[in-house]
Amino acid sequence: MKLNSPEAVIIGGGIIGVSTAYYLARKGVRTTLLESGDLAGGTSGSCDRAIMIQSKNPGLPLSMALAGSKLYESLESELGEDLEYGKIGGMILIESEEEMRVMEKIVGRQREAGIDVVILGRSGTLARQPAVSPHVLGATYWNGDADVNPVKVCFAMGRAAASRGADIRLGTRVTGFIKDKDGIAGVRTGSGDIKAGKVIIAAGVWTPELGKMAGLHIPIIPRKGQILVTEKISPLINGNILSGRYIACKHNPELAKAGGEYSALGLGLSMGQTRSGNLLIGGTREFAGYDCGTTPEAVRAIAGEAVRLFPALKKVNLLRTFAGLRPYTPDGMPIVGPVPERPGLFIAAGHEGDGIALGPVTGSLLADMVAGTAGGWDLSPLSITRFNDYIL
């Protein structure tokens, strides 16, 4: 159903956009979502399945992740669809005394924040993860980490939003914004103008391009992640796996430069196994522009890291590789909220590798902002105003 006069227009059909559309539609807000391709056609369809809570920094990111985790627990029953959700637990592998000291500090802060992450020694790690290399000193563990099929989430939320009256328009590219004396009053598209009092940019790594049309410099840049997909095998790992180096490269890009031969790749292991038995093995954190291609160098590096930590993988065949573009911000925090100098305009982007974990909760919180309903959250640390040069 095409809405002639929506109250809100959302640009972007990834998990942030469809989540926002769903929660707005649930509130009865007339909503149109515009996507230049298909739902989950970008980063949300080119990533792994992990809802890894213990990888989040204590404070607002962890609080949002915990709230998002609770939403996921009931999302399948709420939407009436199988999202392949499972609370499978997660581990961060520790290979050196230095990593152990770092993880002890992180775990201490997380426990203070209310999640009962524990550190296992070598024997405890092997007991829970028998296939891991015996050189591993230990690992963190938390049973609250989960996984989900992000493509299924996007399509299920899109269908649910549409069933509540949202207008989902695919193959529709935004070419500009309608402006009036009061601010942003809608969008221009190749198939005509759409007037709306509220416009939300949720276009991931393409958000800066749209921002320029509104006179904004939005400091989001693509950070590529390459992933390997193996043949189907019997269960090899238990839960989600990250390496200590993955956490280092995520939170501090400068540390990636100490990676020797593969320093430019920002290499760090992430691994999960689908219900059908395929392993998804990542990954890289590369600043390579908008290049979505995979490279032999990265495939060799990821495979080598995986075999080093899980030697049994040496005999497992690869089926394919793919890459996605994470929307990276300079301080590692997403941009969520209104643009004060552009009344009517909101941004929800820059979640980097946390988009799946934070997608539904971001959509819920943003729907509260747009609808003017009390959310009880202070999201000011996520405002674009924290960047001094955001007005062009």
Side-chain angles (χ1 to χ4, degrees), residues 9-13 17-18 21 31-35 39 167-170:
V9 169
I10 299 165
I11 308 170
V18 294
T31 303
T32 294
L33 183 146
L34 306 175
E35 165 55 47
L39 299 184
D167 177 11
I168 310 292
R169 302 190 194 182
L170 305 179

Side-chain angles (χ1 to χ4, degrees), residues 1 14 84 88 91 101 135 152 228 232 283 308:
M1 177 181 69
E84 298 180 16
I88 58 175
M91 301 177 75
R101 288 191 292 272
H135 84 269
K152 285 192 171 185
L228 318 183
K232 297 176 182 179
R308 188 178 68 82

Side-chain angles (χ1 to χ4, degrees), residues 6-140:
E7 297 170 82
V9 169
I10 299 165
I11 308 170
I15 196 165
I16 307 296
V18 294
S19 295
T20 305
Y22 169 66
Y23 287 110
L24 281 173
R26 265 190 24 170
K27 290 177 176 292
V29 177
R30 299 190 308 278
T31 303
T32 294
L33 183 146
L34 306 175
E35 165 55 47
S36 62
D38 201 350
L39 299 184
T43 302
S44 296
S46 303
C47 58
D48 61 23
R49 302 165 47 92
I51 305 172
M52 199 75 170
I53 308 302
Q54 61 168 302
S55 66
K56 309 300 181 281
N57 278 326
L60 184 56
L62 181 57
S63 296
M64 287 181 66
L66 287 169
S69 179
K70 287 197 175 297
L71 289 178
Y72 268 118
E73 288 175 7
S74 59
L75 201 56
E76 285 185 321
S77 59
E78 188 176 311
L79 300 177
E81 298 203 33
D82 175 18
L83 306 178
E84 298 180 16
Y85 171 81
K87 190 169 277 191
I88 58 175
M91 301 177 75
I92 301 173
L93 304 181
I94 299 168
E95 296 187 74
S96 68
E97 293 294 346
E98 181 182 5
E99 283 185 4
M100 181 67 77
R101 288 191 292 272
V102 170
M103 292 312 302
E104 283 173 346
K105 292 179 181 178
I106 292 173
V107 167
R109 294 200 303 270
Q110 289 173 330
R111 292 181 67 85
E112 288 176 2
I115 62 173
D116 54 348
V117 182
V118 297
I119 293 183
L120 305 175
R122 180 180 278 119
S123 60
T125 300
L126 284 168
R128 186 167 290 279
Q129 211 66 251
V132 78
S133 172
H135 84 269
V136 170
L137 289 184
T140 68

